[in-house]
Coordinates of all heavy atoms in Angstrom, one line a residue:
M109 N 5.9 -24.7 56.7 CA 6.3 -26.0 56.1 C 6.0 -25.8 54.6 O 5.0 -25.5 54.2 CB 5.6 -27.2 56.7 CG 5.9 -28.4 55.9 SD 4.8 -29.8 56.3 CE 5.6 -30.4 57.8
E110 N 7.0 -26.2 53.8 CA 6.7 -26.2 52.3 C 6.6 -27.6 51.9 O 7.5 -28.5 52.2 CB 7.9 -25.5 51.6 CG 7.9 -24.0 51.8 CD 9.1 -23.4 51.1 OE1 10.1 -24.1 50.8 OE2 9.0 -22.2 50.8
I111 N 5.6 -27.9 51.1 CA 5.5 -29.2 50.5 C 5.6 -29.0 49.0 O 4.9 -28.3 48.4 CB 4.1 -29.8 50.8 CG1 3.9 -29.9 52.3 CG2 3.9 -31.2 50.1 CD1 2.5 -30.3 52.8
K112 N 6.6 -29.6 48.5 CA 7.0 -29.5 47.1 C 6.7 -30.7 46.2 O 6.7 -31.8 46.7 CB 8.5 -29.1 46.9 CG 8.8 -27.8 47.6 CD 10.3 -27.5 47.5 CE 10.6 -26.2 48.2 NZ 12.1 -25.9 48.1
S113 N 6.4 -30.4 45.0 CA 6.2 -31.5 44.0 C 6.7 -31.0 42.7 O 6.8 -29.8 42.4 CB 4.7 -32.0 43.9 OG 4.0 -30.9 43.4
L114 N 7.1 -31.9 41.9 CA 7.6 -31.6 40.5 C 6.4 -31.3 39.6 O 5.4 -32.0 39.7 CB 8.4 -32.7 39.9 CG 9.7 -33.0 40.7 CD1 10.4 -34.2 40.0 CD2 10.7 -31.8 40.6
A115 N 6.5 -30.2 38.9 CA 5.5 -29.8 37.9 C 6.1 -29.7 36.5 O 7.2 -29.3 36.4 CB 4.8 -28.6 38.3
T116 N 5.3 -30.0 35.5 CA 5.7 -29.8 34.2 C 5.3 -28.4 33.8 O 4.1 -28.0 33.9 CB 5.0 -30.8 33.2 OG1 5.4 -32.1 33.7 CG2 5.5 -30.6 31.8
V117 N 6.2 -27.6 33.3 CA 5.9 -26.2 32.9 C 6.3 -26.1 31.4 O 7.4 -26.4 31.1 CB 6.7 -25.2 33.7 CG1 6.5 -23.8 33.3 CG2 6.3 -25.4 35.2
A118 N 5.4 -25.6 30.7 CA 5.7 -25.3 29.3 C 6.5 -24.1 29.1 O 6.2 -23.0 29.7 CB 4.4 -25.2 28.5
M119 N 7.6 -24.2 28.3 CA 8.5 -23.1 28.1 C 8.6 -22.9 26.6 O 8.6 -23.8 25.9 CB 9.9 -23.3 28.7 CG 9.9 -23.4 30.2 SD 11.5 -23.8 30.9 CE 12.5 -22.6 30.2
I120 N 8.8 -21.6 26.2 CA 9.0 -21.4 24.8 C 10.5 -21.7 24.5 O 11.4 -21.0 25.0 CB 8.7 -19.9 24.4 CG1 7.2 -19.6 24.7 CG2 9.0 -19.6 23.0 CD1 6.8 -18.2 24.6
E121 N 10.7 -22.7 23.7 CA 12.0 -23.1 23.4 C 12.6 -22.3 22.2 O 13.7 -22.0 22.1 CB 12.0 -24.6 23.0 CG 13.3 -25.2 22.7 CD 13.2 -26.7 22.5 OE1 12.5 -27.4 23.2 OE2 13.9 -27.1 21.5
D122 N 11.7 -21.9 21.3 CA 12.1 -21.2 20.1 C 10.9 -20.5 19.5 O 9.7 -21.0 19.7 CB 12.7 -22.1 19.0 CG 13.6 -21.3 18.1 OD1 13.6 -20.1 18.1 OD2 14.2 -22.0 17.2
V123 N 11.1 -19.5 18.8 CA 10.1 -18.8 18.0 C 10.5 -18.9 16.6 O 11.6 -18.3 16.2 CB 9.7 -17.4 18.5 CG1 8.8 -16.6 17.6 CG2 9.2 -17.4 19.9
I124 N 9.7 -19.4 15.7 CA 10.1 -19.5 14.3 C 9.5 -18.4 13.5 O 8.2 -18.1 13.7 CB 9.6 -20.9 13.7 CG1 10.2 -22.0 14.5 CG2 10.0 -21.0 12.2 CD1 11.7 -22.1 14.5
C125 N 10.2 -17.7 12.7 CA 9.7 -16.6 11.9 C 8.6 -17.1 11.0 O 8.8 -18.1 10.2 CB 10.8 -15.9 11.1 SG 10.2 -14.6 10.0
D126 N 7.4 -16.5 11.0 CA 6.3 -16.9 10.2 C 6.5 -16.6 8.7 O 5.7 -17.1 7.9 CB 5.0 -16.3 10.7 CG 4.6 -16.9 12.0 OD1 4.7 -18.1 12.2 OD2 4.1 -16.1 12.8
V127 N 7.5 -15.8 8.3 CA 7.7 -15.4 6.9 C 8.8 -16.3 6.3 O 8.6 -16.9 5.3 CB 8.1 -14.0 6.8 CG1 8.5 -13.6 5.3 CG2 7.0 -13.1 7.2
C128 N 9.9 -16.4 6.9 CA 11.1 -17.2 6.4 C 11.4 -18.5 7.0 O 12.3 -19.2 6.7 CB 12.3 -16.3 6.3 SG 13.1 -16.0 8.0
S129 N 10.7 -18.8 8.1 CA 10.8 -20.1 8.9 C 12.1 -20.2 9.5 O 12.5 -21.4 9.8 CB 10.6 -21.3 7.9 OG 9.2 -21.2 7.4
S130 N 12.9 -19.2 9.8 CA 14.1 -19.3 10.5 C 13.9 -19.2 12.0 O 12.9 -18.5 12.4 CB 15.2 -18.3 9.9 OG 14.7 -17.0 10.4
S131 N 14.8 -19.7 12.7 CA 14.7 -19.6 14.2 C 15.1 -18.2 14.6 O 15.9 -17.5 13.9 CB 15.7 -20.6 14.8 OG 16.0 -20.3 16.1
T132 N 14.4 -17.7 15.7 CA 14.7 -16.4 16.2 C 15.7 -16.4 17.4 O 15.9 -15.5 18.0 CB 13.5 -15.6 16.5 OG1 12.8 -16.3 17.5 CG2 12.6 -15.5 15.3
R133 N 16.1 -17.6 17.7 CA 17.0 -17.8 18.8 C 18.4 -17.4 18.4 O 19.0 -17.9 17.5 CB 17.0 -19.2 19.3 CG 18.0 -19.5 20.5 CD 17.8 -20.9 21.1 NE 16.6 -21.0 21.8 CZ 16.3 -20.5 23.0 NH1 17.2 -19.8 23.6 NH2 15.1 -20.7 23.5
I134 N 19.0 -16.6 19.2 CA 20.4 -16.2 19.0 C 21.2 -16.8 20.0 O 21.0 -16.5 21.3 CB 20.6 -14.6 18.9 CG1 19.8 -14.1 17.8 CG2 22.1 -14.3 18.8 CD1 19.8 -12.6 17.7
P135 N 22.2 -17.8 19.7 CA 22.9 -18.4 20.7 C 23.5 -17.5 21.7 O 24.1 -16.4 21.4 CB 24.0 -19.2 19.9 CG 23.4 -19.3 18.5 CD 22.6 -18.1 18.3
S136 N 23.3 -17.8 23.0 CA 23.8 -17.1 24.1 C 23.1 -15.9 24.4 O 23.3 -15.1 25.4 CB 25.3 -16.7 24.0 OG 26.1 -17.9 23.8
Y137 N 22.1 -15.5 23.6 CA 21.3 -14.2 23.8 C 19.8 -14.5 23.9 O 19.1 -13.6 24.2 CB 21.6 -13.2 22.7 CG 23.0 -12.7 22.8 CD1 24.1 -13.3 22.0 CD2 23.4 -11.7 23.7 CE1 25.3 -12.8 22.1 CE2 24.7 -11.3 23.8 CZ 25.7 -11.8 23.0 OH 26.9 -11.4 23.1
G138 N 19.4 -15.7 23.5 CA 17.9 -16.0 23.6 C 17.2 -15.6 22.4 O 17.7 -15.4 21.3
L139 N 15.8 -15.5 22.6 CA 14.9 -15.2 21.5 C 14.9 -13.7 21.1 O 14.8 -12.9 22.0 CB 13.5 -15.6 21.8 CG 13.4 -17.1 22.1 CD1 12.0 -17.5 22.7 CD2 13.7 -18.0 20.9
Q140 N 15.0 -13.4 19.9 CA 15.0 -12.0 19.4 C 14.1 -12.0 18.2 O 14.4 -12.5 17.1 CB 16.4 -11.6 19.0 CG 17.4 -11.5 20.1 CD 17.1 -10.4 21.1 OE1 16.6 -9.4 20.7 NE2 17.3 -10.7 22.4
Y141 N 12.8 -11.5 18.4 CA 11.9 -11.5 17.4 C 10.9 -10.3 17.6 O 10.9 -9.7 18.7 CB 11.0 -12.8 17.3 CG 10.3 -13.0 18.6 CD1 8.9 -12.6 18.7 CD2 10.8 -13.7 19.7 CE1 8.1 -12.9 19.8 CE2 10.1 -14.0 20.8 CZ 8.8 -13.5 20.8 OH 8.1 -13.8 22.0
G142 N 10.2 -10.0 16.5 CA 9.2 -8.9 16.6 C 7.9 -9.6 16.3 O 7.7 -10.7 15.9
R143 N 6.8 -8.9 16.7 CA 5.4 -9.4 16.6 C 4.5 -8.3 15.9 O 4.5 -7.2 16.4 CB 4.9 -9.8 18.0 CG 3.6 -10.5 17.9 CD 3.2 -11.0 19.3 NE 3.7 -10.2 20.4 CZ 4.2 -10.7 21.5 NH1 4.4 -12.0 21.6 NH2 4.5 -9.9 22.4
L144 N 3.8 -8.8 14.9 CA 2.8 -8.0 14.3 C 1.5 -8.6 14.7 O 1.2 -9.7 14.5 CB 2.9 -8.0 12.8 CG 1.9 -7.2 12.0 CD1 2.1 -5.8 12.2 CD2 2.1 -7.5 10.5
E145 N 0.6 -7.8 15.4 CA -0.5 -8.3 16.0 C -1.8 -7.4 15.9 O -1.6 -6.2 16.0 CB -0.3 -8.7 17.5 CG -1.5 -9.3 18.1 CD -1.1 -9.9 19.5 OE1 0.0 -9.6 20.0 OE2 -1.9 -10.6 20.1
A146 N -2.9 -7.9 15.7 CA -4.2 -7.2 15.7 C -5.3 -8.0 16.1 O -5.4 -9.2 15.8 CB -4.4 -6.6 14.3
Q147 N -6.2 -7.4 16.9 CA -7.4 -8.1 17.3 C -8.5 -7.1 17.0 O -8.6 -6.1 17.7 CB -7.4 -8.5 18.8 CG -8.5 -9.3 19.2 CD -8.3 -10.1 20.5 OE1 -7.3 -9.9 21.2 NE2 -9.3 -10.9 20.8
W148 N -9.3 -7.5 16.0 CA -10.3 -6.6 15.5 C -11.7 -6.8 16.3 O -12.1 -7.9 16.5 CB -10.6 -6.8 14.0 CG -9.3 -6.6 13.3 CD1 -8.5 -7.5 12.7 CD2 -8.6 -5.3 13.0 NE1 -7.3 -6.9 12.2 CE2 -7.4 -5.6 12.4 CE3 -9.0 -4.0 13.3 CZ2 -6.6 -4.5 12.0 CZ3 -8.1 -3.0 12.9 CH2 -6.9 -3.2 12.2
G149 N -12.2 -5.7 16.6 CA -13.5 -5.7 17.3 C -14.7 -5.2 16.6 O -14.7 -4.9 15.4
Y150 N -15.7 -4.9 17.3 CA -17.0 -4.5 16.8 C -16.8 -3.2 15.9 O -16.2 -2.2 16.3 CB -18.0 -4.1 18.0 CG -19.4 -3.8 17.5 CD1 -20.2 -4.8 17.0 CD2 -19.9 -2.5 17.5 CE1 -21.5 -4.5 16.5 CE2 -21.1 -2.2 17.1 CZ -22.0 -3.2 16.6 OH -23.2 -2.9 16.2
G151 N -17.5 -3.3 14.7 CA -17.4 -2.2 13.8 C -16.3 -2.3 12.8 O -16.4 -1.7 11.7
A152 N -15.3 -3.2 13.0 CA -14.3 -3.4 12.0 C -14.7 -4.4 11.0 O -15.6 -5.3 11.3 CB -13.0 -3.9 12.8
Q153 N -14.2 -4.3 9.8 CA -14.6 -5.3 8.8 C -14.2 -6.7 9.2 O -14.8 -7.7 8.7 CB -14.0 -4.9 7.4 CG -14.6 -3.7 6.8 CD -14.0 -3.5 5.5 OE1 -12.9 -3.9 5.1 NE2 -14.7 -2.6 4.7
H154 N -13.2 -6.8 10.0 CA -12.6 -8.2 10.4 C -13.0 -8.5 11.9 O -12.3 -9.1 12.6 CB -11.1 -8.2 10.2 CG -10.7 -8.1 8.7 ND1 -10.6 -9.3 8.0 CD2 -10.5 -7.1 7.9 CE1 -10.3 -8.9 6.7 NE2 -10.2 -7.6 6.7
D155 N -14.2 -8.0 12.2 CA -14.6 -8.1 13.6 C -14.5 -9.6 14.1 O -14.9 -10.5 13.4 CB -16.1 -7.7 13.7 CG -16.6 -7.7 15.2 OD1 -15.8 -7.9 16.1 OD2 -17.9 -7.6 15.3
G156 N -13.9 -9.8 15.2 CA -13.7 -11.1 15.8 C -12.5 -11.8 15.4 O -12.2 -12.9 15.9
E157 N -11.7 -11.2 14.5 CA -10.4 -11.9 14.0 C -9.3 -11.4 14.8 O -9.2 -10.3 15.1 CB -10.3 -11.7 12.5 CG -11.4 -12.3 11.6 CD -11.2 -12.0 10.2 OE1 -10.2 -11.5 9.8 OE2 -12.2 -12.3 9.4
H158 N -8.4 -12.4 15.1 CA -7.2 -12.0 15.8 C -6.0 -12.6 15.0 O -6.0 -13.7 14.7 CB -7.2 -12.8 17.2 CG -6.1 -12.4 18.1 ND1 -5.8 -13.0 19.2 CD2 -5.1 -11.5 18.0 CE1 -4.8 -12.6 19.9 NE2 -4.3 -11.6 19.1
Y159 N -5.1 -11.7 14.7 CA -3.9 -12.0 13.9 C -2.7 -11.8 14.8 O -2.6 -10.9 15.5 CB -3.8 -11.1 12.7 CG -4.9 -11.3 11.7 CD1 -6.1 -10.6 11.8 CD2 -4.7 -12.1 10.6 CE1 -7.1 -10.8 10.8 CE2 -5.7 -12.3 9.7 CZ -7.0 -11.7 9.8 OH -8.0 -11.9 8.9
Q160 N -1.7 -12.7 14.5 CA -0.4 -12.6 15.2 C 0.6 -13.2 14.3 O 0.5 -14.4 13.9 CB -0.4 -13.3 16.6 CG 0.8 -13.1 17.3 CD 0.8 -13.7 18.7 OE1 0.8 -15.0 18.8 NE2 0.6 -12.9 19.7
V161 N 1.7 -12.4 13.9 CA 2.7 -12.9 13.1 C 4.0 -12.7 13.8 O 4.3 -11.5 14.2 CB 2.7 -12.2 11.7 CG1 3.8 -12.6 10.8 CG2 1.3 -12.4 11.0
H162 N 4.8 -13.7 13.9 CA 6.1 -13.6 14.5 C 7.2 -13.4 13.4 O 7.1 -14.1 12.5 CB 6.5 -14.8 15.4 CG 5.6 -15.0 16.6 ND1 4.5 -15.7 16.5 CD2 5.7 -14.5 17.8 CE1 3.9 -15.7 17.8 NE2 4.6 -14.9 18.5
L163 N 8.1 -12.5 13.6 CA 9.0 -12.1 12.6 C 10.4 -12.1 13.2 O 10.7 -11.5 14.2 CB 8.7 -10.7 12.1 CG 7.3 -10.5 11.5 CD1 7.0 -9.1 11.3 CD2 7.3 -11.2 10.1
C164 N 11.4 -12.7 12.4 CA 12.8 -12.6 12.7 C 13.2 -11.1 12.5 O 12.5 -10.3 11.9 CB 13.7 -13.5 11.9 SG 13.8 -13.1 10.2
E165 N 14.4 -10.7 12.9 CA 14.9 -9.4 12.8 C 14.9 -8.9 11.3 O 14.4 -7.8 11.0 CB 16.3 -9.2 13.4 CG 16.8 -7.9 13.5 CD 18.1 -7.7 14.2 OE1 18.8 -8.8 14.4 OE2 18.5 -6.6 14.5
L166 N 15.4 -9.7 10.5 CA 15.5 -9.4 9.0 C 14.0 -9.1 8.4 O 13.8 -8.1 7.8 CB 16.2 -10.4 8.2 CG 16.3 -10.2 6.7 CD1 17.2 -9.0 6.5 CD2 17.0 -11.4 6.0
C167 N 13.1 -10.1 8.7 CA 11.8 -9.9 8.2 C 11.0 -8.8 8.8 O 10.3 -8.1 8.2 CB 11.0 -11.2 8.3 SG 11.6 -12.5 7.3
F168 N 11.3 -8.5 10.1 CA 10.6 -7.4 10.8 C 11.0 -6.1 10.1 O 10.1 -5.2 9.8 CB 11.0 -7.3 12.3 CG 10.5 -6.2 13.0 CD1 9.2 -6.2 13.5 CD2 11.3 -5.0 13.1 CE1 8.7 -5.1 14.1 CE2 10.7 -3.9 13.7 CZ 9.5 -3.9 14.3
F169 N 12.3 -5.9 9.8 CA 12.7 -4.6 9.2 C 12.3 -4.6 7.7 O 12.2 -3.5 7.2 CB 14.2 -4.4 9.5 CG 14.4 -3.9 10.9 CD1 14.8 -4.7 11.9 CD2 14.1 -2.6 11.3 CE1 14.9 -4.3 13.2 CE2 14.2 -2.1 12.6 CZ 14.6 -3.0 13.5
R170 N 12.2 -5.7 7.1 CA 11.6 -5.6 5.7 C 10.2 -5.1 5.7 O 9.8 -4.3 4.9 CB 11.6 -7.0 5.1 CG 13.1 -7.4 4.6 CD 13.0 -8.7 4.0 NE 14.3 -9.1 3.4 CZ 14.7 -10.3 3.2 NH1 13.9 -11.3 3.4 NH2 15.9 -10.5 2.7
V171 N 9.4 -5.7 6.7 CA 8.0 -5.2 6.8 C 7.9 -3.7 7.2 O 7.2 -3.0 6.6 CB 7.2 -6.1 7.9 CG1 5.9 -5.5 8.2 CG2 7.1 -7.5 7.3
L172 N 8.7 -3.4 8.2 CA 8.8 -1.9 8.6 C 9.2 -1.0 7.4 O 8.6 0.0 7.3 CB 9.8 -1.8 9.8 CG 9.7 -0.4 10.5 CD1 8.3 -0.3 11.1 CD2 10.7 -0.4 11.6
S173 N 10.1 -1.5 6.6 CA 10.6 -0.7 5.5 C 9.5 -0.5 4.5 O 9.3 0.5 3.9 CB 11.8 -1.4 4.8 OG 12.2 -0.7 3.7
S174 N 8.7 -1.6 4.2 CA 7.6 -1.5 3.3 C 6.5 -0.6 3.8 O 6.0 0.2 3.1 CB 7.0 -2.9 3.1 OG 5.8 -2.9 2.4
L175 N 6.2 -0.6 5.1 CA 5.2 0.3 5.7 C 5.8 1.8 5.6 O 5.0 2.7 5.4 CB 4.9 -0.1 7.2 CG 4.2 -1.4 7.3 CD1 4.1 -1.8 8.8 CD2 2.8 -1.3 6.7
R176 N 7.0 1.9 5.9 CA 7.6 3.2 5.8 C 7.5 3.9 4.4 O 7.2 5.0 4.3 CB 9.1 3.1 6.3 CG 9.8 4.5 6.4 CD 11.3 4.2 6.9 NE 11.3 3.7 8.2 CZ 12.1 2.7 8.7 NH1 13.0 2.2 7.8 NH2 12.1 2.4 9.9
R177 N 7.8 3.0 3.5 CA 7.7 3.4 2.0 C 6.3 3.8 1.7 O 6.0 4.8 1.0 CB 8.2 2.3 1.1 CG 8.6 2.7 -0.3 CD 9.4 1.6 -1.1 NE 9.0 0.2 -0.7 CZ 9.8 -0.6 0.0 NH1 11.0 -0.1 0.4 NH2 9.5 -1.8 0.3
E178 N 5.3 3.0 2.2 CA 3.9 3.3 1.9 C 3.5 4.6 2.6 O 2.8 5.4 2.0 CB 3.0 2.1 2.5 CG 1.6 2.3 2.2 CD 1.2 1.9 0.8 OE1 2.0 1.1 0.2 OE2 0.2 2.3 0.3
R179 N 4.0 4.8 3.7 CA 3.7 6.1 4.5 C 4.3 7.3 3.7 O 3.6 8.3 3.6 CB 4.4 6.0 5.8 CG 4.2 7.3 6.7 CD 4.9 7.0 8.1 NE 4.9 8.3 8.8 CZ 3.9 8.7 9.6 NH1 2.8 8.0 9.7 NH2 4.0 9.7 10.3
M180 N 5.5 7.1 3.2 CA 6.1 8.2 2.4 C 5.3 8.5 1.2 O 5.1 9.7 0.8 CB 7.6 7.9 2.1 CG 8.5 7.9 3.2 SD 10.2 7.4 2.9 CE 10.6 8.5 1.6
V181 N 4.8 7.5 0.5 CA 4.0 7.7 -0.8 C 2.7 8.4 -0.4 O 2.3 9.3 -1.1 CB 3.7 6.3 -1.4 CG1 2.7 6.4 -2.5 CG2 5.1 5.7 -2.0
N182 N 2.1 8.0 0.7 CA 0.8 8.6 1.1 C 1.0 10.1 1.4 O 0.1 10.8 1.2 CB 0.2 7.8 2.3 CG -0.3 6.5 2.0 OD1 -0.7 6.3 0.8 ND2 -0.4 5.6 2.9
G183 N 2.1 10.4 1.9 CA 2.4 11.8 2.3 C 3.2 12.6 1.3 O 3.7 13.7 1.6
M184 N 3.5 12.1 0.2 CA 4.4 12.6 -0.8 C 4.0 14.1 -1.2 O 4.9 14.9 -1.3 CB 4.4 11.8 -2.0 CG 5.5 12.2 -3.0 SD 5.5 11.1 -4.4 CE 5.9 9.5 -3.7
F185 N 2.8 14.4 -1.3 CA 2.4 15.7 -1.8 C 1.9 16.6 -0.6 O 1.3 17.6 -0.9 CB 1.4 15.6 -2.9 CG 1.9 14.8 -4.1 CD1 1.5 13.5 -4.4 CD2 2.9 15.4 -4.9 CE1 2.0 12.8 -5.4 CE2 3.5 14.6 -6.0 CZ 3.0 13.4 -6.2
D186 N 1.9 16.1 0.6 CA 1.5 16.9 1.7 C 2.7 17.7 2.3 O 3.8 17.2 2.3 CB 1.0 16.0 2.8 CG -0.4 15.3 2.3 OD1 -0.9 15.8 1.3 OD2 -0.8 14.4 3.0
D187 N 2.4 18.9 2.7 CA 3.4 19.7 3.4 C 3.5 19.2 4.9 O 4.5 19.6 5.6 CB 3.1 21.1 3.3 CG 3.2 21.7 1.9 OD1 4.1 21.1 1.1 OD2 2.5 22.6 1.5
D188 N 2.6 18.5 5.3 CA 2.5 18.0 6.7 C 3.7 17.1 7.0 O 3.9 16.0 6.4 CB 1.2 17.2 6.9 CG 1.1 16.8 8.4 OD1 1.9 17.1 9.2 OD2 0.1 16.1 8.6
K189 N 4.6 17.5 7.8 CA 5.8 16.8 8.1 C 5.6 15.6 9.0 O 6.5 14.8 9.2 CB 6.8 17.7 8.9 CG 7.3 18.9 8.0 CD 8.0 18.4 6.8 CE 8.5 19.6 5.9 NZ 8.7 19.3 4.5
S190 N 4.3 15.4 9.4 CA 4.0 14.2 10.3 C 4.1 12.9 9.4 O 4.1 11.8 9.9 CB 2.7 14.3 10.9 OG 1.6 14.3 10.0
F191 N 4.2 13.1 8.1 CA 4.3 11.9 7.2 C 5.8 11.5 7.0 O 6.1 10.6 6.3 CB 3.7 12.1 5.8 CG 2.2 11.9 5.8 CD1 1.3 12.9 5.9 CD2 1.8 10.6 5.7 CE1 0.0 12.7 6.0 CE2 0.4 10.3 5.7 CZ -0.5 11.4 5.8
S192 N 6.7 12.2 7.7 CA 8.1 11.8 7.6 C 8.3 10.4 8.1 O 7.7 9.9 9.0 CB 8.9 12.8 8.5 OG 10.2 12.3 8.6
A193 N 9.2 9.7 7.4 CA 9.5 8.3 7.7 C 10.6 8.2 8.8 O 10.9 7.1 9.2 CB 9.9 7.6 6.5
D194 N 11.2 9.3 9.1 CA 12.3 9.3 10.2 C 11.8 8.7 11.5 O 10.8 9.1 12.1 CB 12.8 10.7 10.4 CG 13.5 11.2 9.2 OD1 13.9 10.4 8.4 OD2 13.6 12.5 9.1
G195 N 12.4 7.6 11.9 CA 12.0 7.0 13.2 C 10.7 6.4 13.2 O 10.1 6.1 14.3
F196 N 10.1 6.0 12.1 CA 8.8 5.4 11.9 C 8.7 4.2 12.8 O 9.4 3.3 12.6 CB 8.4 5.2 10.5 CG 7.1 4.5 10.3 CD1 5.9 5.1 10.6 CD2 7.0 3.2 9.8 CE1 4.7 4.5 10.5 CE2 5.9 2.5 9.6 CZ 4.7 3.2 10.0
G197 N 7.8 4.2 13.8 CA 7.6 3.0 14.6 C 8.5 2.8 15.7 O 8.4 2.0 16.6
L198 N 9.6 3.6 15.8 CA 10.6 3.5 16.8 C 10.1 4.2 18.1 O 9.8 5.4 18.1 CB 11.9 4.2 16.4 CG 13.1 4.2 17.3 CD1 13.5 2.7 17.6 CD2 14.3 5.0 16.8
I199 N 10.0 3.5 19.2 CA 9.6 4.0 20.4 C 10.7 4.4 21.3 O 10.6 5.5 22.0 CB 8.6 3.0 21.2 CG1 7.3 2.8 20.4 CG2 8.3 3.5 22.5 CD1 6.4 1.7 20.9
S200 N 11.7 3.7 21.3 CA 13.0 4.0 22.1 C 14.2 3.4 21.4 O 14.1 2.5 20.6 CB 12.8 3.5 23.5 OG 12.9 2.2 23.6
A201 N 15.3 4.0 21.7 CA 16.6 3.5 21.2 C 17.6 3.5 22.4 O 17.3 4.1 23.4 CB 17.1 4.4 20.1
D202 N 18.6 2.7 22.2 CA 19.5 2.5 23.4 C 18.9 2.0 24.6 O 19.3 2.3 25.7 CB 20.3 3.8 23.6 CG 21.0 4.3 22.4 OD1 21.5 3.5 21.6 OD2 21.2 5.5 22.3
N203 N 17.8 1.2 24.4 CA 17.1 0.6 25.5 C 17.5 -0.8 25.6 O 16.9 -1.8 25.3 CB 15.6 0.7 25.3 CG 14.7 0.2 26.4 OD1 15.3 -0.2 27.4 ND2 13.5 0.2 26.2
F204 N 18.7 -1.0 26.2 CA 19.4 -2.4 26.2 C 18.8 -3.3 27.2 O 18.9 -4.5 27.1 CB 20.9 -2.2 26.4 CG 21.5 -1.3 25.3 CD1 22.0 -0.1 25.6 CD2 21.5 -1.8 24.0 CE1 22.5 0.7 24.6 CE2 22.1 -1.0 23.0 CZ 22.6 0.3 23.3
L205 N 18.1 -2.7 28.2 CA 17.6 -3.6 29.2 C 16.1 -4.0 29.0 O 15.5 -4.7 29.7 CB 17.7 -2.9 30.6 CG 19.1 -2.6 31.1 CD1 19.1 -1.9 32.4 CD2 19.9 -3.9 31.1
G206 N 15.5 -3.4 27.9 CA 14.2 -3.7 27.5 C 13.1 -3.1 28.3 O 12.0 -3.4 28.3
A207 N 13.5 -2.1 29.1 CA 12.5 -1.3 29.9 C 11.6 -0.5 28.9 O 12.2 0.1 27.9 CB 13.2 -0.4 30.9
N208 N 10.4 -0.3 29.3 CA 9.5 0.6 28.4 C 9.7 2.0 28.7 O 9.9 2.5 29.7 CB 8.0 0.1 28.6 CG 7.8 -1.2 28.0 OD1 8.4 -1.6 27.1 ND2 6.9 -1.9 28.6
Ligands
ZN340 ZN1 12.1 -14.1 8.8

């Protein structure tokens, strides 16, 4: 026997970009956003601090571009090819179902 009752469940209706304040909801496709997050622990200068920034697609790629440029500058005079900016941060492509 199932006994049911109505419950109030909190749902994420929208995620607002923390940089440009735009909605990350794409009509008919849902929420599309990136997240920059860090939780610093013992030994870190920011021990105990937890950061989380939600980014729309445009702001995410602006941040990624800035980091990519910084990476290129840091490795400019190194022969080490691991400083290449190609695919920086990209874990997978053509992953349309969102599987890891
Ligand atoms: Zn944005």
